[in-house]
Amino acid sequence: MKKTIRNIMMLAVVVIGSLMFSPGNASADKAGCDAFLYISNNSLFEINVTIDGFPSGNLLVGKSKTYTVSLANDAGKRIKVKVDYQDPDYIDPKSINYVTKQKLECGGSDSVFVAFSK
């Protein structure tokens, strides 16, 4: 009985040790990556930014910000940017849609410059 318990304990230590020190799944590290999107507000109004359907905050007049965009896999993707601004002559906000010039890939970047006036 004592030998059986000792053998089970030794087996458990070996299994736990092999799981702790085994290399992780290498494909899991490449499952997602980040790209960067630089947005500059050169317009006369404060804007609200939506990147790929996710609200990303607002950007004041004359300010710029770099946003991090998570890509699902290694394939490049065009990023859709929607900009809403409150026009003083209208009750409802107006919006403009932008698409990046190139497909963003892992570690890549692109710029969107917003400039509109009355």
Side-chain angles (χ1 to χ4, degrees), residues 1-65:
M1 182 73 161
K2 289 182 181 181
K3 284 188 177 186
T4 306
I5 293 174
R6 191 183 86 183
N7 288 340
I8 291 173
M9 295 286 275
M10 294 293 268
L11 180 64
V13 168
V14 170
V15 168
I16 290 172
S18 66
L19 289 175
M20 286 178 54
F21 296 111
S22 67
N25 189 358
S27 64
D29 294 336
K30 293 187 177 186
C33 60
D34 291 335
F36 305 98
L37 188 61
Y38 177 80
I39 300 177
S40 178
N41 183 9
N42 299 327
S43 64
L44 298 176
F45 305 106
E46 178 181 336
I47 60 174
N48 293 321
V49 179
T50 304
I51 299 175
D52 272 347
F54 296 105
S56 299
N58 62 354
L59 203 54
L60 299 175
V61 175
K63 299 294 180 180
S64 302
K65 188 173 180 183

Side-chain angles (χ1 to χ4, degrees), residues 91-102:
I91 295 173
D92 294 329
K94 293 190 169 197
S95 64
I96 300 174
N97 294 319
Y98 296 95
V99 178
T100 56
K101 298 175 206 121
Q102 60 199 19

